[in-house]
Amino acid sequence: MGRAVLLTSNLPQLQNLIKRDPVSYKDEFLQQWNHYNSIRLIFHLNPDEHAQHFRELVTFIAQVATCYPTETSQFPSHISSILLENYAMLSPDTRKSLIQTMVMLRNKNVISSIELLRCLFPLLPRTTSSTLRASIRKTILSDIRTANMRTKNHKLNRAIQAMLFNMAEKGLEDQNVGNKGKVREQASSSDNAGHKGEDAMWAVILTKQLWKKGVWSDAKPVSIMAIGCFHPVVKVQSASIHFFLGEDEEEDSDNEEEDDVDVKTLQHRREINKKTRSGEKKLQKKLNSARKKKHSKDTAQPNFSALQLLNDPQTFAEKLYDILNHHDKRFSLDHKILIMQLLSRVVGSHKLCVLGFYTYIVKYLTYHQLRVPSILVALAQSVHDLTPPDALTPVIQKLAHEFVHPGVASEVIAAGINAIREVCRRQPWAMEEDLLGDLIEYKKSKDKAVVAASRGLLQLYREVNPGMLKRRERGKEAAMGMASGTQPLPFGHTANAAVDIEGLSLLENHLKKMEENGEEIDNEDDEAAWEGWDVDSESESESESSDGWINVDDDDDINISDSEDEKEDNYEKNASAGPSPENPSALATTKILTPADFALLAELRVKAATQAVEQGGGTKAKRKLAALEAELKSSQSANDGNTFISENDILGPRKKAKADYEERMESIQKGREGREKYGSRKGKKNKDAPSSSTNREKARNKPIMMILSSGSVRGKKKASLREKQQKLRAHVERGKKARK
């Protein structure tokens, strides 16, 4: 009897005994289980009554649930229903304890990941505690990441993505636009009416984090983020747009890894606190994280893979334009520029046509417009070779009228010409011949930025369409090309199919040298040659299965050649004559070239051009080398996903900008290197014990205008005859003592 009373009052001891011998202490557990059920019924009616004892019983049962799986089969559903149905009525300690209980049950494999996440997802927008919300968020992300660590858990991913999809869609149909374009929520008696925007925001945040950590990389999370781009809540829309732009936005102040670190505050705190090694390590860790975060913000790259995985990009772009056009007064300028940037990148990367965008953006093309460089970047990125020139000609005329005239600063002129050049680089036929001649005349300007912009436009048209230039401005190569009959392709026309690959003989000779030196050459079916170049799609592996290549038996009746027999015979006879349009290199017909082979070919072409320049090839060889290097650099940036322009391309070369505080301090510290400690040396040079000068010595060197209003000078003027006699007598006495 005494033991039973002791165990009833000491749940940790009973828990320890049950884990050692579950069978012997089953009666004691059942007693506590019945007590838990009775307390739970009371807890449903009044959560404040017996709350502490209820939490202790819940923790006890969660610890020993694996010992009695049959008896505790309904225990997880009890806790989940209490959290989801009565969350607002629970105290903070009870909420935290019940959530920790669910996590404990998941760690003990009592419940699955889907059951845990179905309980935690609805709690995120309803939790007011920042600490608890951060804990729930961390638990969700770590559980999903652990489940996909070795292999992709497609079943779990599909279930979670369905939940996030529903969360992202909440609020799309329940919100409408009221007067003056402001969002107005419809009245609803539902308890979750105020959390629909938060639900969508958390769906966007979690999807963004899982994509960033590499847990998800297929088209389904991209679809969730695409829905967020059309959400009426501006915060949700902004976070979704930042995802596609590849920028990190401050999403939640609870996330410690994303909070801005005040370096000065940390250093000041380190100076006034006790000096310890652990404190130094913590400070250095925070400083390193702040430095990495600043570097990642400065070098943010567009999310190129997400843009390519968009489903129906034409409809996506048209919806973005409708939002931008219909709710122009609702959004701030910064948000409108975000939508412009995303719309332009989708249009440029997929070569879409949203012609209304060029009419819309014309009203923002003024030199006094705020953030006009970002608007010019969005304009240039939206243009491609399939954009109709008629839609771009008014835009170019507007740019020339607003930015390129004598009434504005030279920086404005340079930005305008650079913007026109970037538009015409993608669609050269949008330029008028008379306007082109006027813009090229700015190469005689005295400002270097304007001269560089004008010469860049001139060089562009020397390459793409020299016929629009005057004869004296075409250059030697362009004039020779026009004399030989070479004409640019009109809009809508494409070049003929390539017969041979330029410079392929260099790759063939390189492979022959490797064979002569005894080096191994990978076979054409070697997977290593394609490593890092192909893109794996998990969604394809889920929806469809591929049986690989189909083996076709050799049959003399099958003719796989699209040329005639006579041409084949002539080709075999001329095979030894070297590569030409009629006689391509043998390597092209005997080996399937991989992306790695093309990369090697580009490097070999640059190397050959460099040797030609070193051997005195002249100006033509130098131009060819510069063109090959530019082509190699552009191809490398395309492989990295960096195919978009920046504001620096629009602004062009500028004068050195004013240094900020960090740059000034860095320059000052650099100038102090290699010298003694800075500061005044007055009074310290000829003394045994270095010390500064006295206040009396400093007073002697003060300017007269500084001491006219001092109390000592005023006192001399107001001194009586007796005081003057005393001062004079004291002065005489000091002189006598000094002479002795």
Side-chain angles (χ1 to χ4, degrees), residues 311-524:
N311 182 26
D312 194 1
Q314 179 67 41
T315 304
F316 180 80
E318 291 175 355
K319 287 183 178 179
L320 278 179
Y321 170 68
D322 291 340
I323 291 175
L324 186 64
N325 189 30
H326 293 163
H327 307 308
D328 183 72
K329 296 181 180 179
R330 167 188 164 189
F331 299 136
S332 63
L333 177 63
D334 293 338
H335 191 70
K336 285 187 283 189
I337 291 177
L338 278 179
I339 300 178
M340 289 182 192
Q341 290 175 343
L342 178 57
L343 176 60
S344 64
R345 290 180 179 179
V346 173
V347 170
S349 59
H350 291 277
K351 294 188 176 181
L352 309 175
C353 284
V354 185
L355 301 183
F357 174 68
Y358 304 108
T359 306
Y360 171 82
I361 204 173
V362 164
K363 62 182 179 181
Y364 293 100
L365 300 181
T366 56
Y367 70 91
H368 52 77
Q369 173 66 49
L370 296 176
R371 297 192 61 187
V372 70
S374 300
I375 298 175
L376 295 177
V377 168
L379 169 64
Q381 287 179 159
S382 64
V383 181
H384 49 85
D385 56 350
L386 300 181
T387 305
D390 297 339
L392 296 176
T393 301
V395 177
I396 293 180
Q397 292 176 350
K398 175 74 171 181
L399 288 173
H401 178 72
E402 291 289 338
F403 289 84
V404 189
H405 58 83
V408 296
S410 58
E411 293 84 357
V412 177
I413 298 176
I417 298 178
N418 286 330
I420 294 173
R421 185 193 71 229
E422 293 297 333
V423 172
C424 294
R425 186 187 303 279
R426 292 157 174 79
Q427 183 48 269
W429 294 101
M431 175 63 73
E432 296 177 339
E433 187 172 351
D434 296 338
L435 178 60
L436 178 62
D438 295 339
L439 295 176
I440 290 176
E441 288 298 324
Y442 277 89
K443 66 181 181 180
K444 302 176 183 179
S445 174
K446 296 182 180 179
D447 188 81
K448 292 183 179 180
V450 177
V451 173
S454 180
R455 288 181 178 177
L457 184 63
L458 173 62
Q459 185 62 31
L460 171 65
Y461 274 88
R462 282 178 177 177
E463 298 173 359
V464 297
N465 193 358
M468 296 182 64
L469 300 172
K470 297 179 181 179
R471 179 173 296 180
R472 67 175 182 272
E473 296 171 347
R474 293 173 184 171
K476 181 179 178 181
E477 292 186 1
M480 293 174 62
M482 292 185 63
S484 62
T486 304
Q487 296 293 334
L489 293 174
F491 171 70
H493 291 70
T494 57
N496 296 328
V499 180
D500 193 16
I501 301 174
E502 185 179 357
L504 190 59
S505 58
L506 296 173
L507 181 60
E508 187 176 3
N509 296 332
H510 177 73
L511 296 178
K512 287 182 179 179
K513 290 181 180 179
M514 293 180 64
E515 290 180 357
E516 294 174 357
N517 297 331
E519 299 180 9
E520 295 182 358
I521 301 177
D522 295 336
N523 297 325
E524 61 185 15

